[in-house]
């Protein structure tokens, strides 16, 4: 009976194949991760570009002028984006505005929504910024009363329009009025 000897290169070949497989799998995971980052950050990049366009349109207007322009903002399947604004004396403005008046595009219609990584703000040269009319309503509790049949509260709701403009999947038209002290932005229907 003859005993076969294993090739001396067998172990080296196996280790080399294992290393190449690990490198290949790592590159595959890295590629998927980069693709995921591009898809997830796409809304954020569109929000920044939209804000830059709005800022440029505002800066183009002369004092006392009113301008209307269509704009397409960010609208992802999982996120809703809003245009908000605050004057320099408004205590609710986000910290990102520092001590200036600003406009922001945020993933939410509350000032605290602009603080996170999905809130983008730009300074504007006006003492006050007003978002005159939003294009959506929220349901807000108006009155809470004790119910008649036990301790169940009866809540009455009202619909209010926050001072924010919600970006939609299609184009919306913004109207911007620029005066010496006030910048007014509204959604036109």
């Amino acid at each position: 009976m003859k005993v076969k000897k294993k090739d001396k290169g067998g172990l080296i070949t196996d280790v080399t194949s294992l290393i190449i497989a690990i490198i290949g799998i790592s590159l595959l995971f890295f590629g998927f991760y980069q693709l995921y980052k591009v898809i997830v950050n796409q809304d954020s990049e569109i929000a920044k570009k939209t804000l830059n366009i709005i800022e440029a349109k505002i800066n183009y207007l002369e004092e006392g002028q009113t301008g209307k322009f269509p704009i397409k903002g960010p609208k992802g399947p999982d996120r809703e984006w809003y245009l908000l604004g605050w004057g320099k004396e408004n205590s609710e403005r986000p910290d990102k505005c520092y001590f200036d008046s600003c406009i922001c595009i945020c993933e939410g219609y509350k000032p605290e929504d602009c603080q996170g990584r999905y809130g983008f703000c730009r300074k504007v040269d006006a003492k006050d910024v007003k978002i005159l009319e939003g294009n959506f309503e929220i349901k807000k509790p108006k009155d809470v009363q004790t119910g008649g049949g036990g301790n169940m509260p009866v809540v009455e709701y009202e619909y209010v329009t926050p001072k924010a403009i919600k970006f939609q999947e299609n184009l919306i038209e913004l109207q911007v009025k620029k005066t010496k002290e006030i910048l007014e932005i509204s959604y036109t229907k």
Side-chain angles (χ1 to χ4, degrees):
M1 177 180 230
K2 242 182 176 181
V3 177
K4 285 188 170 182
K5 291 185 179 180
K6 196 171 186 180
D7 291 335
K8 290 185 178 183
L11 181 60
I12 293 174
T13 305
D14 291 345
V15 170
T16 304
S17 297
L18 182 64
I19 290 173
I20 290 172
I22 290 172
I23 291 172
I25 291 170
S26 298
L27 286 174
L28 189 64
F29 279 123
F30 179 74
F32 282 133
Y33 175 71
Q34 291 299 323
L35 184 62
Y36 172 76
K37 276 183 22 180
V38 166
I39 291 170
V40 168
N41 288 332
Q42 190 172 17
D43 276 354
S44 298
E45 290 303 315
I46 292 171
K48 289 178 194 175
K49 288 178 184 177
T50 303
L51 191 57
N52 290 339
I53 290 169
I54 294 170
E55 180 185 31
K57 300 274 187 186
I58 290 169
N59 291 337
Y60 182 74
L61 289 174
E62 296 291 327
E63 190 177 300
Q65 276 188 317
T66 299
K68 286 185 179 182
F69 56 93
I71 194 150
K72 172 122 172 63
K75 177 68 176 150
D78 301 334
R79 297 188 187 144
E80 292 184 340
W81 295 85
Y82 301 85
L83 175 66
L84 299 103
W86 294 274
K88 61 175 72 176
E89 294 177 6
N90 189 330
S91 61
E92 292 182 351
R93 74 179 178 277
D95 292 340
K96 289 181 178 184
C97 297
Y98 301 106
F99 299 106
D100 298 310
S101 297
C102 66
I103 56 170
C104 301
I105 292 182
C106 310
E107 185 187 30
Y109 57 87
K110 300 174 188 164
E112 57 268 17
D113 295 328
C114 295
Q115 285 299 101
R117 67 183 252 201
Y118 295 117
F120 308 101
C121 299
R122 299 286 184 274
K123 295 180 206 175
V124 291
D125 189 25
K127 185 176 180 181
D128 196 13
V129 176
K130 294 182 180 183
I131 305 291
L132 296 181
E133 185 176 331
N135 58 344
F136 68 103
E137 292 182 330
I138 58 169
K139 189 174 170 181
K140 189 175 179 181
K142 181 171 111 176
D143 194 14
V144 179
Q145 300 172 355
T146 308
N151 292 334
M152 291 297 292
V154 176
V155 180
E156 290 184 29
Y157 291 97
E158 65 181 338
Y159 288 93
V160 295
T161 302
K163 299 295 183 185
I165 297 171
K166 181 179 179 181
F167 287 101
Q168 318 222 334
E169 289 185 29
N170 50 357
L171 289 172
I172 63 171
E173 187 173 58
L174 295 180
Q175 178 174 308
V176 178
K177 182 178 180 184
K178 186 176 183 181
T179 64
K180 185 175 183 176
E181 302 228 347
I182 299 173
L183 177 68
E184 296 177 348
I185 303 173
S186 61
Y187 167 79
T188 58
K189 296 174 183 160

